Every structure is written in structure tokens, then in C-alpha cells.
Amino acid sequence: MAESKAQGTTLFSPYKMGKFNLSHRVVLAPMTRCRAINGIPNPALAEYYTQRSTHGGFLITEGTLISPTAAGFPHCPGIYTDEHVEAWKKIVDAVHAKGSVIFCQLWHVGRASHQVYQPGGTGSPISSTNKSISGRWRILMPDGTHGRYPAPRALATSEIPAVVEDYRHAALNAIRAGFDGVEIHGAHGYLIDQFLKNGINDRTDEYGGSIANRCKFLLEVIQAVVAAIGADRVGIRISPAIDHLDAMDSDPLGLGLAVIERLNKLQLTLGLKLTYLHVTQPRYTAYGQTEAGRHGSEDEEARLMRTWRRTFQGTFICSGGFTKKLGMEALAQGDADLVSYGRLFIANPDLVLRFMVNAPLNRYVRATFYTHDPVVGYTDYPSLSKGSGSHGLLSRL
Ligand SMILES: Cc1cc2nc3c(=O)[nH]c(=O)nc-3n(C[C@H](O)[C@H](O)[C@H](O)COP(=O)(O)O)c2cc1C
């Protein structure tokens, strides 16, 4: 969007995202919360997502497993069996009843896993490489302790089509469950990012080496998913400049541009737009205190994000370290169409309303991000009380 058009745009301006009419621009970022006991979505998830639903709002689910080898955290939901589909239906219906649009984030962690999360509790996690994640990072084990990431097993070239098929199958299941669309998780050092980044991908086949080769797996996944459910129900998430789980690239700007140019080309070929591109910016690392180190100055980060934003021909969602003020600025400057909020949304189920009325925000409790209690740290963050003068606005949401 040109800057002149963006002027006057706020977090509360409506937005037409493809076929979806959104009433505001505060998006729930995808967040793993480990409450789907044994992988099956349950009423606690329905409560969590409906608490964060608003009329015309947009929610993206936590990373949702596309296959039995995809897990790297305890109690993440799946979307690869009929039981998953039936369980998700109830959650999606509840969210729709509150007027929100909801996409399912399709996730395979690749090498960010452990034997305990693999089928039968054995077998190496799969990846683009045989190299393990360095000791700088630790995996959350089912018993709550933290362990070393084991060595993965590089997928043989001939095995890759089956993994692409898992994404396609999961996307079809998501639509069967009633989701409005899917987000393909190509970010944060997980399987797709393990192919994209040259700090990880050391393959010598057609999926490694040049940028074009490293983009091939992502492109094949996108093409398969788009062919199955339609481009207008598919969003893509990438994080070229984020080094989470050692996902370093020697040229983050060039890698991001290479992906975006391919998305633009695909859209031209199809004559259809993807629903959106969602990019996590490195500020997340600086603001979040959850990650070690950052790549560059804030000016440099802003330059990267602007370049990608201006190159992508479609809806652009940014994420990472946004406050209300920073989100407002990003929209007014035309740096994004929508802003996704993670940690603030964990702690503030009524974040949109709180932003509207400038209410103080609850603080998030990091210690319960990944615990399994269906209520504590999950659905027990308070909403504004009825006496807060927010009645009129509540009816709008
Ligand atoms: C507890 C937690 C879990 C997360 N899980 C996911 C996930 O499953 N998929 C994903 O793409 N990003 C995940 N993220 C990243 C968020 O989507 C978001 O980009 C990040 O928190 C930065 O936004 P924030 O500064 O508003 O929190 C997670 C973040 C947190 C804090």
C-alpha cells in the first residue's frame, strides 16, 4: 500500500484480506501452548481461542502438526487424523460463532525434535541436514526438563515428495475441520527454514546450494497446498533474518527477496493472490529476551522489513515486539497491512478492546507459556471488568 493511502490507517481500520472482511488489524499470532493433551484439541483450546475472538478479527492457531514425525514440543495439536479434524471442528465453530476468521498453522519442526517425540519414541528427527542444533539451544522435554537436540537424519531426495504430501493432506484436513485457511510455517528454524537457510542446509542435491534450490521445498509445499485448497486460503510465514535454532543465512535480505519474488510469480501464474505473507522481524529477539543475540541495528531491521513489504504484491503481516504504539506507526507508515501480536495476546484475551480504550495491559507469565494446565496461565488472564466503561465498544467487537 502506498504511504499516502496508509496515512490515517490505524489498528482499528477495517481491512479486506482477500475474501475476508476484517474489522480491525490486530491479529493473534500463532503460538504453541502445549495444552492439546496427547495431540487432541480439547475444550480448553476452544475457551482460549474464543476468549481472543472478536467480530471481524483474525486468529492464527498455534503450530499444528502435519504428520507423526512433526512434533518437537509436548502436547501440540495435530491435523493429520480424522480424530484431529473432529476435535478441531468444535473449536473452529466456537470461534466462527464469535465472528472471527481462523487459519490453522501447518507445522513440521524438522530437526528441532527428539527421539521421544518421534513415532514409537525412537528414530531420528528428519531435516535437510544431518547436523544437529547447537548446544546453545535446548529442547523442552515431555517431563518439563530441557535436553540437547539429537542429530537429525537428512531426508533423501526421494523422500521429499511424501513430506510435501503431508502438508497437502494436512491442509485438506484443516479445511474439512472448517478452518478458513492455513498458514504454512516456513519460519523460526523449523523444517522449511532448515531448507531455506544456508547456515543449515548443506545438501548437494537439487534442494541445496543456490538460493533457488533452497527455496524449492517451500515452493513445492506451497504449490501442493494451493492446488488442494486454493491460493486465497493460504498464508505463508517466513523469518529470513531470525536466527532461532541456528537458522542463520549469510544473506537474509536476498533470501527474503528470493522467496517473495517466487510468491509474486506464483500469484501471476495463478491469476490469484495468496491470502498473505507473514514476516517475523528480528526485533522479536531484542524485545523478547527469549532468544540470544540479534543480527543488526534497528535501522537495518526496518530496512529489511520495508524492502520485503514493498516487494511482496499482497497482504503483509508483520510480527515481533509490537506494542500498540509501534503497531500504529507501522500501519500509518505503510509498513504493514496487519500486525500480529503474540505475548501481549497471551496475557490479554481482550487485547483489541484494551488497545481501543487505552486500558493497562496484564503482564504475561513466561513460566506458563508451555505448561499443560487447561486453565492456569492459559485461560485465566482477566478481561476488563464490566465497569470499565467499555460497553459500547464491546458490542462492536
Ligand atoms: C509461547 C510462544 C509460542 C510461539 N509459538 C509459535 C508457533 O507455534 N508458530 C509460530 O510461527 N510462531 C510462534 N511464536 C512466535 C509468535 O508467533 C510471535 O511471532 C512472537 O511471539 C513475536 O511476537 P510478540 O513480540 O508480539 O510476542 C511463539 C511465541 C511465543 C511467545
Side-chain angles (χ1 to χ4, degrees):
M1 186 192 291
E3 272 172 49
S4 56
K5 251 174 121 185
Q7 272 170 19
T9 301
T10 77
L11 285 168
F12 315 116
S13 307
Y15 181 72
K16 189 160 167 46
M17 179 178 72
K19 59 186 175 189
F20 306 106
N21 291 310
L22 306 182
S23 66
H24 61 81
R25 300 177 186 229
V26 182
V27 175
L28 173 68
M31 278 179 295
T32 295
R33 301 306 314 279
C34 304
R35 264 68 175 192
I37 307 305
N38 299 321
I40 307 301
N42 57 51
L45 277 75
E47 176 67 12
Y48 172 79
Y49 285 109
T50 51
Q51 282 181 351
R52 285 154 186 79
S53 299
T54 49
H55 192 77
F58 179 43
L59 315 183
I60 308 165
T61 69
E62 60 212 278
T64 302
L65 310 174
I66 61 155
S67 72
T69 61
F73 280 80
H75 304 302
C76 291
I79 187 72
Y80 56 89
T81 68
D82 288 344
E83 191 182 4
H84 295 140
V85 171
E86 290 311 311
W88 271 118
K89 269 183 189 163
K90 302 190 184 87
I91 293 147
V92 175
D93 286 351
V95 167
H96 282 160
K98 290 196 74 180
S100 278
V101 173
I102 182 164
F103 273 35
C104 180
Q105 191 187 50
L106 302 185
W107 194 26
H108 194 304
V109 302
R111 68 175 183 166
S113 183
H114 189 280
Q115 286 86 345
V116 291
Y117 293 119
Q118 294 303 309
T122 56
S124 301
I126 58 168
S127 182
S128 63
T129 177
N130 290 319
K131 285 182 301 184
S132 39
I133 296 171
S134 70
R136 181 181 156 203
W137 308 94
R138 288 276 186 273
I139 183 166
L140 176 63
M141 301 295 279
D143 63 2
T145 60
H146 289 84
R148 286 287 297 258
Y149 284 100
R153 179 179 73 75
L155 284 163
T157 313
S158 60
E159 292 178 294
I160 292 179
V163 184
V164 173
E165 169 58 21
D166 287 338
Y167 279 94
R168 193 188 75 88
H169 176 244
L172 282 169
N173 276 350
I175 298 304
R176 279 174 58 213
F179 282 106
D180 299 291
V182 300
E183 176 175 289
I184 296 170
H185 191 345
H188 305 164
Y190 297 109
L191 182 62
I192 291 173
D193 212 19
Q194 291 161 27
F195 277 83
L196 290 174
K197 300 275 174 71
N198 64 8
I200 301 175
N201 184 336
D202 54 1
R203 303 178 71 86
T204 52
D205 65 359
E206 71 249 41
Y207 292 92
S210 64
I211 287 194
N213 284 3
R214 285 182 278 124
C215 290
K216 192 168 151 61
F217 178 58
L218 169 62
L219 260 291
E220 287 180 358
V221 170
I222 296 173
Q223 279 162 342
V225 169
V226 161
I229 66 170
D232 56 352
R233 293 198 281 196
V234 180
I236 317 291
R237 186 167 214 198
I238 55 169
S239 60
I242 295 233
D243 66 354
H244 187 237
L245 302 173
D246 296 337
M248 304 282 287
D249 196 88
S250 57
D251 178 17
L253 177 64
L255 177 62
L257 285 174
V259 171
I260 290 169
E261 279 154 15
R262 282 162 178 77
L263 300 183
N264 287 342
K265 198 167 152 212
L266 177 68
Q267 294 186 142
L268 266 180
T269 313
L270 294 168
L272 281 172
K273 295 261 194 216
L274 296 157
T275 316
Y276 61 83
L277 176 66
H278 186 182
V279 182
T280 326
Q281 63 180 43
R283 200 165 53 192
Y284 171 38
T285 61
Y287 278 54
Q289 299 131 30
T290 52
E291 322 292 355
R294 2 174 337 129
H295 278 292
S297 70
E298 264 179 54
D299 282 354
E300 172 62 9
E301 292 170 10
R303 189 177 70 83
L304 289 183
M305 289 297 281
R306 284 209 176 109
T307 309
W308 294 327
R309 192 288 192 269
R310 304 226 150 109
T311 309
F312 181 60
Q313 287 155 16
T315 295
F316 191 87
I317 308 180
C318 61
S319 180
F322 283 91
T323 56
K324 175 183 173 186
K325 181 168 172 287
L326 289 171
M328 287 289 200
E329 284 170 10
L331 294 174
Q333 288 163 11
D335 289 342
D337 298 304
L338 303 166
V339 183
S340 84
Y341 288 88
R343 290 159 295 177
L344 296 184
F345 233 138
I346 286 181
N348 295 277
D350 54 351
L351 185 66
V352 185
L353 178 63
R354 283 176 192 256
F355 278 171
M356 274 183 156
V357 302
N358 283 322
L361 300 181
N362 303 320
R363 292 172 71 89
Y364 52 82
V365 180
R366 188 176 302 282
T368 51
F369 278 180
Y370 301 113
T371 46
H372 318 309
D373 191 281
V375 175
V376 178
Y378 193 49
T379 55
D380 62 350
Y381 286 104
S383 293
L384 289 177
S385 69
K386 292 241 160 74
S388 60
S390 53
H391 286 85
L393 289 165
L394 271 174
S395 63
R396 216 194 110 182
L397 297 172

